[in-house]
Amino acid sequence: MLLQDVKIVLCRVSEGGNVGAVCRAMKNMGLFELRLAALPQSLDTDKIYERAVNAGDIWESAKNFDTLAEAVADCSVVVGTTRRRGHGRKNITMTPRVLAAWLLEREGTAAIVFGNERTGLDEDELKLCNFASHIPVSDAQPSLNLSHAVLIYVYEFFLALEQKNSVKGEWTTMNQADANRLVGSITDTFAGLGFYKIQNRDEQADFLRDVICRAGLTTREGEYFKKIIQKAIQLSGKKGL
């Protein structure tokens, strides 16, 4: 993956000054695509430009989306940043440095998602992510300013990805929309077989989507995977999709 393939996504951000500082941090490290999802209110543009310094162009070209799902739909992998762990908070997490090294070996595009300044990403938002990432901090003050957190990530990405000398070939990994369609086809087929005797379809759909995206399946591989399932159903005497 190249540096330009990384998208910074701010979800429910509320402070214009923080957005401006994020723009500055991004431009410091050579990232230029900012996405804003589910803005709860209009932002103070004066504060944005004041904190952005010479990075106002990042704000001006930022893409706005009504929902987080729409903001990340075209990305191959989605990473949610969070310091909180526990039920519903993802089982897999990477530090920014490990994440940067992992992205170096991937193809496609990555969305790095940051939540609201005060509350972070909620469980439903984190559920849209394929895995979580956290910044190790002292217990004495575990909460980071939003722009500071973004700067740590983009610095690691710059070190790992900026110098990568690579020519893209035909390998194109699935984005979130393609992965969700594939998972929908698989779970529809399973549902037709009576697979879901208890209400665990949503949990399995999240599991399948995350595994597919972490594995970096191409669209062609996804279609082949679906055909394998359909063939198995046909051989068992059941009708697939």
Side-chain angles (χ1 to χ4, degrees):
M1 191 175 292
L2 303 174
L3 187 63
Q4 66 218 40
D5 297 321
V6 177
K7 323 298 177 184
I8 301 299
V9 183
L10 304 182
C11 184
R12 293 184 294 110
V13 65
S14 60
E15 301 292 337
N18 281 328
V19 174
V22 166
C23 292
R24 182 177 184 178
M26 290 176 61
K27 196 167 185 178
N28 284 152
M29 300 302 158
L31 280 84
F32 295 93
E33 186 164 336
L34 174 64
R35 299 183 180 188
L36 303 166
L39 290 180
Q41 60 187 27
S42 59
L43 298 173
D44 187 331
T45 54
D46 289 339
K47 286 187 177 179
I48 292 175
Y49 283 108
E50 179 184 341
R51 296 286 299 280
V53 188
N54 294 316
D57 54 316
I58 304 294
W59 161 249
E60 291 162 4
S61 62
K63 299 178 181 179
N64 286 276
F65 299 87
D66 291 332
T67 66
L68 179 58
E70 293 170 338
V72 301
D74 65 335
C75 295
S76 306
V77 65
V78 182
V79 183
T81 59
T82 180
R83 67 179 177 85
R84 289 176 287 156
R85 314 302 306 145
H87 181 70
R89 304 297 299 178
K90 295 291 183 187
N91 293 321
I92 296 176
T93 182
M94 297 184 187
T95 65
R97 184 162 299 175
V98 173
L99 173 61
W102 186 82
L103 292 176
L104 179 65
E105 303 301 323
R106 314 293 294 184
E107 295 293 340
T109 56
I112 314 302
V113 185
F114 299 83
N116 176 266
E117 295 95 327
R118 295 178 179 83
T119 60
L121 294 174
D122 63 29
E123 290 187 7
D124 288 337
E125 291 161 350
L126 199 57
K127 203 178 250 191
L128 293 171
C129 303
N130 303 128
F131 57 89
S133 178
H134 72 284
I135 299 172
V137 292
S138 168
D139 291 338
Q141 175 53 292
S143 178
L144 281 166
N145 174 272
L146 173 62
S147 64
H148 295 175
V150 171
L151 180 58
I152 290 171
Y153 278 93
V154 296
Y155 170 73
E156 294 293 349
F157 297 156
F158 180 78
L159 291 182
L161 305 177
E162 175 64 11
Q163 302 303 320
K164 182 181 177 185
N165 185 14
S166 174
V167 177
K168 287 191 174 181
E170 296 181 355
W171 182 279
T172 302
T173 55
M174 280 189 183
N175 58 36
Q176 298 295 299
D178 290 338
N180 282 327
R181 279 191 289 270
L182 173 59
V183 169
S185 296
I186 293 171
T187 54
D188 282 347
T189 298
F190 288 169
L193 295 172
F195 185 85
Y196 301 109
K197 298 300 184 182
I198 58 175
Q199 295 180 347
N200 65 344
R201 175 171 176 169
D202 289 343
E203 181 179 345
Q204 187 176 94
D206 290 340
F207 168 77
L208 289 171
R209 184 206 62 210
D210 291 352
V211 169
I212 287 167
C213 290
R214 289 200 299 267
L217 292 186
T218 66
T219 300
R220 178 179 293 181
E221 288 171 332
E223 287 299 313
Y224 185 60
F225 184 51
K226 184 168 71 173
K227 288 178 180 178
I228 291 173
I229 294 175
Q230 292 173 331
K231 182 66 173 180
I233 291 169
Q234 291 170 3
L235 292 174
S236 70
K238 301 287 186 177
K239 185 179 180 181
L241 294 180

PDB file of all heavy atoms in Angstrom, residues 122-152:
ATOM      1  N   ASP A 122     -18.304   4.699  19.022  1.00  0.00           N
ATOM      2  CA  ASP A 122     -19.207   3.852  19.792  1.00  0.00           C
ATOM      3  C   ASP A 122     -19.169   2.433  19.234  1.00  0.00           C
ATOM      4  O   ASP A 122     -18.491   2.157  18.238  1.00  0.00           O
ATOM      5  CB  ASP A 122     -20.633   4.415  19.831  1.00  0.00           C
ATOM      6  CG  ASP A 122     -21.296   4.488  18.457  1.00  0.00           C
ATOM      7  OD1 ASP A 122     -20.968   3.660  17.574  1.00  0.00           O
ATOM      8  OD2 ASP A 122     -22.173   5.362  18.260  1.00  0.00           O
ATOM      9  N   GLU A 123     -19.884   1.519  19.862  1.00  0.00           N
ATOM     10  CA  GLU A 123     -19.800   0.104  19.479  1.00  0.00           C
ATOM     11  C   GLU A 123     -20.295  -0.134  18.052  1.00  0.00           C
ATOM     12  O   GLU A 123     -19.728  -0.952  17.322  1.00  0.00           O
ATOM     13  CB  GLU A 123     -20.577  -0.755  20.472  1.00  0.00           C
ATOM     14  CG  GLU A 123     -19.905  -0.837  21.837  1.00  0.00           C
ATOM     15  CD  GLU A 123     -20.573  -1.821  22.762  1.00  0.00           C
ATOM     16  OE1 GLU A 123     -21.481  -2.546  22.303  1.00  0.00           O
ATOM     17  OE2 GLU A 123     -20.190  -1.875  23.941  1.00  0.00           O
ATOM     18  N   ASP A 124     -21.362   0.552  17.646  1.00  0.00           N
ATOM     19  CA  ASP A 124     -21.881   0.377  16.289  1.00  0.00           C
ATOM     20  C   ASP A 124     -20.891   0.883  15.256  1.00  0.00           C
ATOM     21  O   ASP A 124     -20.736   0.289  14.178  1.00  0.00           O
ATOM     22  CB  ASP A 124     -23.219   1.105  16.133  1.00  0.00           C
ATOM     23  CG  ASP A 124     -24.352   0.417  16.875  1.00  0.00           C
ATOM     24  OD1 ASP A 124     -24.229  -0.800  17.134  1.00  0.00           O
ATOM     25  OD2 ASP A 124     -25.345   1.081  17.194  1.00  0.00           O
ATOM     26  N   GLU A 125     -20.209   1.982  15.550  1.00  0.00           N
ATOM     27  CA  GLU A 125     -19.206   2.515  14.623  1.00  0.00           C
ATOM     28  C   GLU A 125     -18.004   1.585  14.543  1.00  0.00           C
ATOM     29  O   GLU A 125     -17.485   1.320  13.448  1.00  0.00           O
ATOM     30  CB  GLU A 125     -18.786   3.916  15.070  1.00  0.00           C
ATOM     31  CG  GLU A 125     -19.887   4.949  14.896  1.00  0.00           C
ATOM     32  CD  GLU A 125     -19.684   6.205  15.725  1.00  0.00           C
ATOM     33  OE1 GLU A 125     -18.779   6.212  16.601  1.00  0.00           O
ATOM     34  OE2 GLU A 125     -20.425   7.177  15.514  1.00  0.00           O
ATOM     35  N   LEU A 126     -17.571   1.078  15.692  1.00  0.00           N
ATOM     36  CA  LEU A 126     -16.431   0.162  15.702  1.00  0.00           C
ATOM     37  C   LEU A 126     -16.776  -1.145  14.999  1.00  0.00           C
ATOM     38  O   LEU A 126     -15.908  -1.815  14.434  1.00  0.00           O
ATOM     39  CB  LEU A 126     -15.991  -0.101  17.138  1.00  0.00           C
ATOM     40  CG  LEU A 126     -14.569  -0.655  17.334  1.00  0.00           C
ATOM     41  CD1 LEU A 126     -13.530   0.269  16.718  1.00  0.00           C
ATOM     42  CD2 LEU A 126     -14.275  -0.861  18.807  1.00  0.00           C
ATOM     43  N   LYS A 127     -18.052  -1.491  14.996  1.00  0.00           N
ATOM     44  CA  LYS A 127     -18.489  -2.718  14.338  1.00  0.00           C
ATOM     45  C   LYS A 127     -18.282  -2.635  12.822  1.00  0.00           C
ATOM     46  O   LYS A 127     -18.105  -3.648  12.144  1.00  0.00           O
ATOM     47  CB  LYS A 127     -19.970  -2.945  14.639  1.00  0.00           C
ATOM     48  CG  LYS A 127     -20.425  -4.384  14.504  1.00  0.00           C
ATOM     49  CD  LYS A 127     -21.888  -4.516  14.862  1.00  0.00           C
ATOM     50  CE  LYS A 127     -22.042  -5.262  16.145  1.00  0.00           C
ATOM     51  NZ  LYS A 127     -23.465  -5.636  16.390  1.00  0.00           N
ATOM     52  N   LEU A 128     -18.283  -1.425  12.283  1.00  0.00           N
ATOM     53  CA  LEU A 128     -18.057  -1.225  10.854  1.00  0.00           C
ATOM     54  C   LEU A 128     -16.583  -1.381  10.478  1.00  0.00           C
ATOM     55  O   LEU A 128     -16.254  -1.438   9.295  1.00  0.00           O
ATOM     56  CB  LEU A 128     -18.537   0.168  10.430  1.00  0.00           C
ATOM     57  CG  LEU A 128     -20.041   0.423  10.490  1.00  0.00           C
ATOM     58  CD1 LEU A 128     -20.342   1.903  10.254  1.00  0.00           C
ATOM     59  CD2 LEU A 128     -20.763  -0.432   9.453  1.00  0.00           C
ATOM     60  N   CYS A 129     -15.716  -1.438  11.481  1.00  0.00           N
ATOM     61  CA  CYS A 129     -14.276  -1.548  11.244  1.00  0.00           C
ATOM     62  C   CYS A 129     -13.855  -3.020  11.259  1.00  0.00           C
ATOM     63  O   CYS A 129     -14.447  -3.835  11.955  1.00  0.00           O
ATOM     64  CB  CYS A 129     -13.503  -0.772  12.308  1.00  0.00           C
ATOM     65  SG  CYS A 129     -13.972   0.974  12.405  1.00  0.00           S
ATOM     66  N   ASN A 130     -12.812  -3.340  10.504  1.00  0.00           N
ATOM     67  CA  ASN A 130     -12.332  -4.720  10.424  1.00  0.00           C
ATOM     68  C   ASN A 130     -11.472  -5.112  11.617  1.00  0.00           C
ATOM     69  O   ASN A 130     -11.412  -6.275  11.984  1.00  0.00           O
ATOM     70  CB  ASN A 130     -11.549  -4.929   9.129  1.00  0.00           C
ATOM     71  CG  ASN A 130     -12.377  -4.582   7.909  1.00  0.00           C
ATOM     72  OD1 ASN A 130     -11.935  -3.808   7.069  1.00  0.00           O
ATOM     73  ND2 ASN A 130     -13.585  -5.115   7.814  1.00  0.00           N
ATOM     74  N   PHE A 131     -10.795  -4.154  12.216  1.00  0.00           N
ATOM     75  CA  PHE A 131     -10.097  -4.383  13.472  1.00  0.00           C
ATOM     76  C   PHE A 131      -9.785  -3.032  14.108  1.00  0.00           C
ATOM     77  O   PHE A 131     -10.059  -1.981  13.516  1.00  0.00           O
ATOM     78  CB  PHE A 131      -8.827  -5.222  13.307  1.00  0.00           C
ATOM     79  CG  PHE A 131      -7.816  -4.668  12.350  1.00  0.00           C
ATOM     80  CD1 PHE A 131      -6.838  -3.794  12.781  1.00  0.00           C
ATOM     81  CD2 PHE A 131      -7.818  -5.056  11.021  1.00  0.00           C
ATOM     82  CE1 PHE A 131      -5.894  -3.290  11.899  1.00  0.00           C
ATOM     83  CE2 PHE A 131      -6.877  -4.562  10.131  1.00  0.00           C
ATOM     84  CZ  PHE A 131      -5.917  -3.680  10.573  1.00  0.00           C
ATOM     85  N   ALA A 132      -9.284  -3.071  15.307  1.00  0.00           N
ATOM     86  CA  ALA A 132      -9.029  -1.849  16.060  1.00  0.00           C
ATOM     87  C   ALA A 132      -7.538  -1.566  16.160  1.00  0.00           C
ATOM     88  O   ALA A 132      -6.702  -2.444  15.980  1.00  0.00           O
ATOM     89  CB  ALA A 132      -9.630  -1.960  17.466  1.00  0.00           C
ATOM     90  N   SER A 133      -7.224  -0.317  16.452  1.00  0.00           N
ATOM     91  CA  SER A 133      -5.842   0.094  16.704  1.00  0.00           C
ATOM     92  C   SER A 133      -5.838   1.016  17.913  1.00  0.00           C
ATOM     93  O   SER A 133      -6.797   1.767  18.148  1.00  0.00           O
ATOM     94  CB  SER A 133      -5.272   0.816  15.478  1.00  0.00           C
ATOM     95  OG  SER A 133      -3.948   1.251  15.730  1.00  0.00           O
ATOM     96  N   HIS A 134      -4.759   0.942  18.697  1.00  0.00           N
ATOM     97  CA  HIS A 134      -4.668   1.768  19.892  1.00  0.00           C
ATOM     98  C   HIS A 134      -3.269   2.346  20.017  1.00  0.00           C
ATOM     99  O   HIS A 134      -2.296   1.793  19.493  1.00  0.00           O
ATOM    100  CB  HIS A 134      -4.966   0.933  21.144  1.00  0.00           C
ATOM    101  CG  HIS A 134      -3.870  -0.033  21.484  1.00  0.00           C
ATOM    102  ND1 HIS A 134      -3.666  -1.207  20.779  1.00  0.00           N
ATOM    103  CD2 HIS A 134      -2.879   0.028  22.437  1.00  0.00           C
ATOM    104  CE1 HIS A 134      -2.620  -1.837  21.284  1.00  0.00           C
ATOM    105  NE2 HIS A 134      -2.119  -1.124  22.282  1.00  0.00           N
ATOM    106  N   ILE A 135      -3.174   3.474  20.694  1.00  0.00           N
ATOM    107  CA  ILE A 135      -1.888   4.097  20.986  1.00  0.00           C
ATOM    108  C   ILE A 135      -1.530   3.797  22.435  1.00  0.00           C
ATOM    109  O   ILE A 135      -2.277   4.174  23.349  1.00  0.00           O
ATOM    110  CB  ILE A 135      -1.954   5.625  20.773  1.00  0.00           C
ATOM    111  CG1 ILE A 135      -2.300   5.942  19.309  1.00  0.00           C
ATOM    112  CG2 ILE A 135      -0.632   6.279  21.169  1.00  0.00           C
ATOM    113  CD1 ILE A 135      -2.565   7.416  19.064  1.00  0.00           C
ATOM    114  N   PRO A 136      -0.427   3.100  22.697  1.00  0.00           N
ATOM    115  CA  PRO A 136      -0.029   2.843  24.086  1.00  0.00           C
ATOM    116  C   PRO A 136       0.281   4.159  24.800  1.00  0.00           C
ATOM    117  O   PRO A 136       1.045   4.978  24.292  1.00  0.00           O
ATOM    118  CB  PRO A 136       1.232   1.989  23.930  1.00  0.00           C
ATOM    119  CG  PRO A 136       1.162   1.417  22.548  1.00  0.00           C
ATOM    120  CD  PRO A 136       0.490   2.472  21.725  1.00  0.00           C
ATOM    121  N   VAL A 137      -0.342   4.361  25.944  1.00  0.00           N
ATOM    122  CA  VAL A 137      -0.138   5.597  26.703  1.00  0.00           C
ATOM    123  C   VAL A 137      -0.015   5.277  28.195  1.00  0.00           C
ATOM    124  O   VAL A 137      -0.352   4.176  28.631  1.00  0.00           O
ATOM    125  CB  VAL A 137      -1.305   6.589  26.496  1.00  0.00           C
ATOM    126  CG1 VAL A 137      -1.329   7.109  25.070  1.00  0.00           C
ATOM    127  CG2 VAL A 137      -2.639   5.934  26.840  1.00  0.00           C
ATOM    128  N   SER A 138       0.419   6.256  28.943  1.00  0.00           N
ATOM    129  CA  SER A 138       0.538   6.108  30.397  1.00  0.00           C
ATOM    130  C   SER A 138      -0.841   6.111  31.049  1.00  0.00           C
ATOM    131  O   SER A 138      -1.736   6.854  30.635  1.00  0.00           O
ATOM    132  CB  SER A 138       1.378   7.254  30.963  1.00  0.00           C
ATOM    133  OG  SER A 138       1.284   7.296  32.382  1.00  0.00           O
ATOM    134  N   ASP A 139      -0.996   5.296  32.065  1.00  0.00           N
ATOM    135  CA  ASP A 139      -2.247   5.281  32.818  1.00  0.00           C
ATOM    136  C   ASP A 139      -2.502   6.616  33.523  1.00  0.00           C
ATOM    137  O   ASP A 139      -3.640   6.919  33.887  1.00  0.00           O
ATOM    138  CB  ASP A 139      -2.221   4.164  33.862  1.00  0.00           C
ATOM    139  CG  ASP A 139      -2.275   2.780  33.230  1.00  0.00           C
ATOM    140  OD1 ASP A 139      -2.740   2.679  32.075  1.00  0.00           O
ATOM    141  OD2 ASP A 139      -1.842   1.815  33.892  1.00  0.00           O
ATOM    142  N   ALA A 140      -1.459   7.391  33.704  1.00  0.00           N
ATOM    143  CA  ALA A 140      -1.614   8.670  34.380  1.00  0.00           C
ATOM    144  C   ALA A 140      -2.485   9.634  33.587  1.00  0.00           C
ATOM    145  O   ALA A 140      -3.159  10.488  34.153  1.00  0.00           O
ATOM    146  CB  ALA A 140      -0.240   9.301  34.636  1.00  0.00           C
ATOM    147  N   GLN A 141      -2.459   9.508  32.242  1.00  0.00           N
ATOM    148  CA  GLN A 141      -3.309  10.337  31.375  1.00  0.00           C
ATOM    149  C   GLN A 141      -3.556   9.572  30.078  1.00  0.00           C
ATOM    150  O   GLN A 141      -2.845   9.725  29.101  1.00  0.00           O
ATOM    151  CB  GLN A 141      -2.635  11.694  31.092  1.00  0.00           C
ATOM    152  CG  GLN A 141      -3.365  12.591  30.095  1.00  0.00           C
ATOM    153  CD  GLN A 141      -4.820  12.851  30.401  1.00  0.00           C
ATOM    154  OE1 GLN A 141      -5.651  11.955  30.330  1.00  0.00           O
ATOM    155  NE2 GLN A 141      -5.138  14.094  30.766  1.00  0.00           N
ATOM    156  N   PRO A 142      -4.552   8.700  30.073  1.00  0.00           N
ATOM    157  CA  PRO A 142      -4.774   7.817  28.921  1.00  0.00           C
ATOM    158  C   PRO A 142      -5.481   8.459  27.735  1.00  0.00           C
ATOM    159  O   PRO A 142      -5.544   7.878  26.664  1.00  0.00           O
ATOM    160  CB  PRO A 142      -5.634   6.698  29.520  1.00  0.00           C
ATOM    161  CG  PRO A 142      -6.396   7.373  30.610  1.00  0.00           C
ATOM    162  CD  PRO A 142      -5.457   8.395  31.190  1.00  0.00           C
ATOM    163  N   SER A 143      -6.019   9.661  27.911  1.00  0.00           N
ATOM    164  CA  SER A 143      -6.783  10.302  26.851  1.00  0.00           C
ATOM    165  C   SER A 143      -5.904  11.242  26.036  1.00  0.00           C
ATOM    166  O   SER A 143      -5.200  12.094  26.583  1.00  0.00           O
ATOM    167  CB  SER A 143      -7.952  11.091  27.459  1.00  0.00           C
ATOM    168  OG  SER A 143      -8.679  11.753  26.446  1.00  0.00           O
ATOM    169  N   LEU A 144      -5.949  11.085  24.713  1.00  0.00           N
ATOM    170  CA  LEU A 144      -5.170  11.920  23.805  1.00  0.00           C
ATOM    171  C   LEU A 144      -6.073  12.909  23.082  1.00  0.00           C
ATOM    172  O   LEU A 144      -7.221  12.596  22.741  1.00  0.00           O
ATOM    173  CB  LEU A 144      -4.465  11.053  22.757  1.00  0.00           C
ATOM    174  CG  LEU A 144      -3.198  10.324  23.170  1.00  0.00           C
ATOM    175  CD1 LEU A 144      -2.842   9.277  22.127  1.00  0.00           C
ATOM    176  CD2 LEU A 144      -2.045  11.301  23.335  1.00  0.00           C
ATOM    177  N   ASN A 145      -5.544  14.097  22.809  1.00  0.00           N
ATOM    178  CA  ASN A 145      -6.230  15.029  21.922  1.00  0.00           C
ATOM    179  C   ASN A 145      -6.363  14.404  20.538  1.00  0.00           C
ATOM    180  O   ASN A 145      -5.470  13.692  20.079  1.00  0.00           O
ATOM    181  CB  ASN A 145      -5.440  16.340  21.849  1.00  0.00           C
ATOM    182  CG  ASN A 145      -6.014  17.312  20.838  1.00  0.00           C
ATOM    183  OD1 ASN A 145      -5.653  17.264  19.672  1.00  0.00           O
ATOM    184  ND2 ASN A 145      -6.895  18.186  21.292  1.00  0.00           N
ATOM    185  N   LEU A 146      -7.473  14.677  19.867  1.00  0.00           N
ATOM    186  CA  LEU A 146      -7.732  14.071  18.558  1.00  0.00           C
ATOM    187  C   LEU A 146      -6.599  14.324  17.568  1.00  0.00           C
ATOM    188  O   LEU A 146      -6.096  13.391  16.925  1.00  0.00           O
ATOM    189  CB  LEU A 146      -9.048  14.608  17.993  1.00  0.00           C
ATOM    190  CG  LEU A 146      -9.394  14.201  16.554  1.00  0.00           C
ATOM    191  CD1 LEU A 146      -9.541  12.689  16.432  1.00  0.00           C
ATOM    192  CD2 LEU A 146     -10.661  14.908  16.091  1.00  0.00           C
ATOM    193  N   SER A 147      -6.185  15.567  17.430  1.00  0.00           N
ATOM    194  CA  SER A 147      -5.146  15.876  16.444  1.00  0.00           C
ATOM    195  C   SER A 147      -3.809  15.254  16.813  1.00  0.00           C
ATOM    196  O   SER A 147      -3.029  14.868  15.938  1.00  0.00           O
ATOM    197  CB  SER A 147      -4.995  17.386  16.281  1.00  0.00           C
ATOM    198  OG  SER A 147      -4.547  17.988  17.476  1.00  0.00           O
ATOM    199  N   HIS A 148      -3.536  15.130  18.118  1.00  0.00           N
ATOM    200  CA  HIS A 148      -2.301  14.477  18.552  1.00  0.00           C
ATOM    201  C   HIS A 148      -2.313  12.996  18.158  1.00  0.00           C
ATOM    202  O   HIS A 148      -1.299  12.447  17.703  1.00  0.00           O
ATOM    203  CB  HIS A 148      -2.129  14.599  20.065  1.00  0.00           C
ATOM    204  CG  HIS A 148      -1.940  16.019  20.516  1.00  0.00           C
ATOM    205  ND1 HIS A 148      -1.860  16.373  21.842  1.00  0.00           N
ATOM    206  CD2 HIS A 148      -1.815  17.170  19.813  1.00  0.00           C
ATOM    207  CE1 HIS A 148      -1.676  17.685  21.941  1.00  0.00           C
ATOM    208  NE2 HIS A 148      -1.662  18.190  20.726  1.00  0.00           N
ATOM    209  N   ALA A 149      -3.480  12.367  18.348  1.00  0.00           N
ATOM    210  CA  ALA A 149      -3.608  10.960  17.981  1.00  0.00           C
ATOM    211  C   ALA A 149      -3.422  10.777  16.476  1.00  0.00           C
ATOM    212  O   ALA A 149      -2.705   9.875  16.023  1.00  0.00           O
ATOM    213  CB  ALA A 149      -4.977  10.430  18.410  1.00  0.00           C
ATOM    214  N   VAL A 150      -4.048  11.644  15.696  1.00  0.00           N
ATOM    215  CA  VAL A 150      -3.903  11.553  14.237  1.00  0.00           C
ATOM    216  C   VAL A 150      -2.436  11.729  13.847  1.00  0.00           C
ATOM    217  O   VAL A 150      -1.921  11.006  12.979  1.00  0.00           O
ATOM    218  CB  VAL A 150      -4.780  12.608  13.536  1.00  0.00           C
ATOM    219  CG1 VAL A 150      -4.473  12.659  12.040  1.00  0.00           C
ATOM    220  CG2 VAL A 150      -6.260  12.301  13.748  1.00  0.00           C
ATOM    221  N   LEU A 151      -1.753  12.679  14.477  1.00  0.00           N
ATOM    222  CA  LEU A 151      -0.348  12.933  14.134  1.00  0.00           C
ATOM    223  C   LEU A 151       0.519  11.698  14.380  1.00  0.00           C
ATOM    224  O   LEU A 151       1.409  11.386  13.582  1.00  0.00           O
ATOM    225  CB  LEU A 151       0.185  14.118  14.935  1.00  0.00           C
ATOM    226  CG  LEU A 151       1.648  14.502  14.673  1.00  0.00           C
ATOM    227  CD1 LEU A 151       1.866  14.841  13.207  1.00  0.00           C
ATOM    228  CD2 LEU A 151       2.054  15.679  15.559  1.00  0.00           C
ATOM    229  N   ILE A 152       0.274  10.998  15.476  1.00  0.00           N
ATOM    230  CA  ILE A 152       1.055   9.785  15.768  1.00  0.00           C
ATOM    231  C   ILE A 152       0.862   8.759  14.659  1.00  0.00           C
ATOM    232  O   ILE A 152       1.821   8.151  14.170  1.00  0.00           O
ATOM    233  CB  ILE A 152       0.650   9.207  17.133  1.00  0.00           C
ATOM    234  CG1 ILE A 152       1.134  10.139  18.261  1.00  0.00           C
ATOM    235  CG2 ILE A 152       1.229   7.802  17.326  1.00  0.00           C
ATOM    236  CD1 ILE A 152       0.614   9.783  19.629  1.00  0.00           C
TER     237      ILE A 152
END
